Amino acid sequence: MYSTELGIEYKYDLTSPKFRTAFEFLRRKDLAELPEGWIELENGIRASVQHYTSIDASEGFFESHEKYFDVQYVVEGREYCGVCKREGLKVRTPYDENGDITFYEEPELSGQVLLLSGDYIVLSPEDVHKPRLAAGGKMAIKKIVVKVPV
């Protein structure tokens, strides 16, 4: 657990050096020009530059990761990211250690976060998420997903 000066306890310290590295990378002025693919940062942190077309909610699946946080940053476009807690969900595809991913059946209840250009979301291993969802129609998206080791 991580405690603040206010006495509030958190499970993770999002001000740690590894998160500072991730957010420093996302402050770069050339994000829109980066080519698609992986960029290795320091301390086991990697950034995936992605170009894709958003999808209908029925085409996506909820997922989670064990070894990494996702810091998902929308460079261009807009999308919804479905979110809910992992507890109690039915596994659709068991954990793949190489891909660090588990897929889940659609939960009975979940929420959505609207991500516009310049917005980001930090997803912990407990946060099941369904990214890439069309917001106001399918569109081209440029996104960077920074993988921060737990």
Side-chain angles (χ1 to χ4, degrees):
M1 287 293 193
Y2 165 71
S3 296
T4 68
E5 293 173 11
L6 299 175
I8 299 170
E9 289 192 5
Y10 298 97
K11 186 171 184 176
Y12 303 110
D13 181 2
L14 300 183
T15 65
S16 70
K18 61 187 175 185
F19 281 102
R20 285 199 302 268
T21 297
F23 291 123
E24 178 108 357
F25 175 79
L26 292 174
R27 282 195 283 276
R28 289 176 52 157
K29 301 294 184 207
D30 65 341
L31 294 178
E33 286 78 47
L34 292 175
E36 199 167 5
W38 285 98
I39 299 171
E40 298 295 328
L41 304 173
E42 56 190 37
N43 302 319
I45 301 164
R46 325 170 8 158
S48 173
V49 180
Q50 305 173 0
H51 301 178
Y52 56 85
T53 300
S54 56
I55 60 174
D56 289 329
S58 63
E59 299 174 73
F61 299 103
F62 278 88
E63 63 185 60
S64 70
H65 313 287
E66 300 296 324
K67 300 176 188 175
Y68 294 92
F69 288 87
D70 272 5
V71 180
Q72 298 195 11
Y73 178 84
V74 176
V75 179
E76 295 173 359
R78 67 176 178 265
E79 70 177 38
Y80 283 117
C81 182
V83 292
C84 66
K85 289 294 178 194
R86 180 170 54 186
E87 185 178 327
L89 295 185
K90 183 176 178 187
V91 172
R92 177 187 186 94
T93 306
Y95 181 66
D96 171 12
E97 189 169 350
N98 290 334
D100 186 39
I101 195 163
T102 302
F103 290 104
Y104 298 88
E105 297 293 340
E106 193 73 22
E108 183 178 329
L109 298 172
S110 65
Q112 285 186 327
V113 175
L114 175 62
L115 300 170
L116 306 174
S117 294
D119 290 346
Y120 69 91
I121 186 169
V122 178
L123 299 157
S124 75
E126 295 83 12
D127 298 322
V128 176
H129 52 285
K130 185 177 182 181
R132 300 181 172 215
L133 304 180
K138 293 182 180 183
M139 68 177 54
I141 306 292
K142 183 163 195 175
K143 181 164 75 176
I144 298 176
V145 178
V146 181
K147 296 291 201 171
V148 179
V150 175

